Amino acid sequence: MPRSILIVDDDPHIRQLLVFAFGKAGLNTREAGDGEDALASATRDPPDLIVLDINMPRMDGLEVCRRLRAAGDIPILFLSSRDDEIDRVLGIELGGDDYVVKPFSPREVVARSMAILRRTAAHPPRAETVAGFRYGGLSIDGEGWAAHWMGQEVALTVTEFTILRTLASMPSRIFSRDQIIDRLHGPGFAITDRTIDSHVRNLRRKFADAGCADLIETRAGVGYRLGNCKEPVATP
């Protein structure tokens, strides 16, 4: 059965170009002209992938992504204006899989979308399941997809949790960015190093807000590994 793509953009010309390009690639498409319609369509009949513009009326693409990520893990490819770098980074931090900058080639959008679909169809090996893992003040429930700091749950996206679970699977090992990408998306998936850096930065911020200042250690030019996760020392 052909994969289904939800194309979300307030510009009907862009939607028409993408519908034609995806159709030539043998993929089914449907359209939404704003964020609210996109969210309703994706909730009613989840597509295999969403091509999602960031700047739209009624509800922007970042809010659509935020709400979808709270409920599931539909792959999302963002469309972004050239001057919206902050929004692109935020979109990745919210759990977007990739982005393409406007003006774009419809063939590039289709090629990147096909790469995401191949990854999701392949079901690549994930990090070893970490069940009942505890390290310093950090605890991870691999089966329940939950992470805690000192007993307090830290809300994470699926991507953030998978990165943390990957690092926790071998706490002393340094994982390169490419190795982390392989755990997330499968071998050969092309995303930039800064995408992983954004997810790691977001993980650090969330745990720092909860009181953990050393969740992830950076080894310059090599990659990341789990930090000491030291429990805070109680003052007398």
Side-chain angles (χ1 to χ4, degrees):
M1 180 179 297
R3 297 295 192 97
S4 63
I5 312 294
L6 175 58
I7 300 170
V8 187
D9 198 297
D10 60 332
D11 186 334
H13 177 64
I14 289 178
R15 297 201 307 269
Q16 183 179 24
L17 285 175
L18 291 177
V19 166
F20 179 76
F22 278 113
K24 286 187 64 177
L27 299 171
N28 293 331
T29 57
R30 62 182 194 267
E31 305 173 45
D34 60 61
E36 289 186 1
D37 286 348
L39 188 61
S41 178
T43 302
R44 181 176 59 252
D45 183 15
D48 293 299
L49 180 140
I50 301 175
V51 177
L52 181 61
D53 187 28
I54 288 180
N55 293 313
M56 292 185 298
R58 297 177 67 190
M59 182 187 297
D60 66 23
L62 297 177
E63 181 61 23
V64 173
C65 178
R66 184 179 290 110
R67 297 192 186 191
L68 288 173
R69 283 292 172 266
D73 199 28
I74 299 173
I76 294 174
L77 172 69
F78 277 111
L79 302 179
S80 170
S81 300
R82 188 171 298 277
D83 58 352
D84 286 339
E85 182 174 359
I86 293 176
D87 283 346
R88 293 199 299 272
V89 172
L90 180 56
I92 295 299
E93 290 180 347
L94 289 173
D97 293 86
D98 201 354
Y99 67 81
V100 174
V101 177
K102 295 179 179 180
F104 54 77
S105 161
R107 292 178 63 184
E108 179 185 5
V109 175
V110 172
R112 288 179 177 267
S113 298
M114 294 294 284
I116 296 172
L117 290 172
R118 284 194 297 271
R119 179 261 300 175
T120 56
H123 299 296
R126 294 183 176 269
E128 291 83 351
T129 299
V130 179
F133 174 88
R134 183 173 177 83
Y135 189 78
L138 172 68
S139 59
I140 296 176
D141 177 3
E143 295 180 355
W145 289 76
H148 297 78
W149 175 253
M150 300 300 294
Q152 174 188 347
E153 183 170 0
V154 180
L156 303 177
T157 66
V158 170
T159 298
E160 292 162 0
F161 182 86
T162 304
I163 291 175
L164 181 60
R165 189 176 63 175
T166 295
L167 299 179
S169 68
M170 298 181 182
S172 63
R173 173 179 172 177
I174 300 172
F175 287 85
S176 70
R177 291 172 177 82
D178 285 343
Q179 288 170 332
I180 293 174
I181 291 170
D182 287 349
R183 295 297 183 98
L184 287 170
H185 300 305
F189 187 76
I191 62 176
T192 63
D193 288 351
R194 68 177 180 177
T195 299
I196 297 300
D197 294 342
S198 294
H199 287 306
V200 169
R201 184 167 58 248
N202 210 35
L203 268 168
R204 284 175 168 153
R205 176 184 58 78
K206 289 182 176 182
F207 274 86
D209 289 346
C212 175
D214 59 350
L215 177 72
I216 297 174
E217 176 185 342
T218 301
R219 287 297 181 94
V222 183
Y224 297 106
R225 73 176 178 185
L226 199 64
N228 291 323
C229 301
K230 292 181 179 177
E231 299 184 43
V233 178
T235 55

